[in-house]
Amino acid sequence: ILQDMKTIFVHSLFIHRDFRLSAASGLLMHHIITMAAEKHLKVDLTGSMIEPVEAFDRHFGARPVPYLTISKKNKLLSVLGN
């Protein structure tokens, strides 16, 4: 969990396997959201493509936001391909 002046970033929540079926991760997320609301901060659930993680995050109002992709093309291959 990281925080800057405007946002709390939740990168990942790890729960010990013995407590996986408890409500520990939900309670922790609720606490993070409550703390952010009290401080007037946004919460960024730095996305996951893993379906169970995405489903868990959506229970807290998360929505997918596309990120830009930066790539580099090989000029020689570009010339040969055209």
Side-chain angles (χ1 to χ4, degrees):
I1 299 172
L2 302 169
Q3 178 181 337
D4 67 11
M5 298 298 289
K6 298 179 182 179
T7 308
I8 294 177
F9 300 91
V10 181
H11 179 63
S12 55
L13 296 175
F14 295 101
I15 303 298
H16 189 277
R17 67 175 177 244
D18 292 347
F19 302 104
R20 211 174 357 179
L21 299 177
S22 72
S25 54
L27 287 172
L28 181 57
M29 186 64 74
H30 182 268
H31 177 72
I32 292 167
I33 293 170
T34 302
M35 183 176 61
E38 290 170 356
K39 296 180 178 184
H40 305 285
L41 299 173
K42 293 189 280 183
V43 177
D44 186 340
L45 304 175
T46 56
S48 176
M49 298 301 290
I50 303 169
E51 287 187 27
V53 176
E54 181 186 3
F56 175 80
D57 290 348
R58 283 180 185 260
H59 286 300
F60 293 96
R63 55 185 167 72
V65 176
Y67 287 90
L68 297 175
T69 302
I70 300 173
S71 63
K72 180 179 176 181
K73 290 185 177 181
N74 185 319
K75 289 183 182 182
L76 178 60
L77 291 176
S78 294
V79 172
L80 294 175
N82 290 330

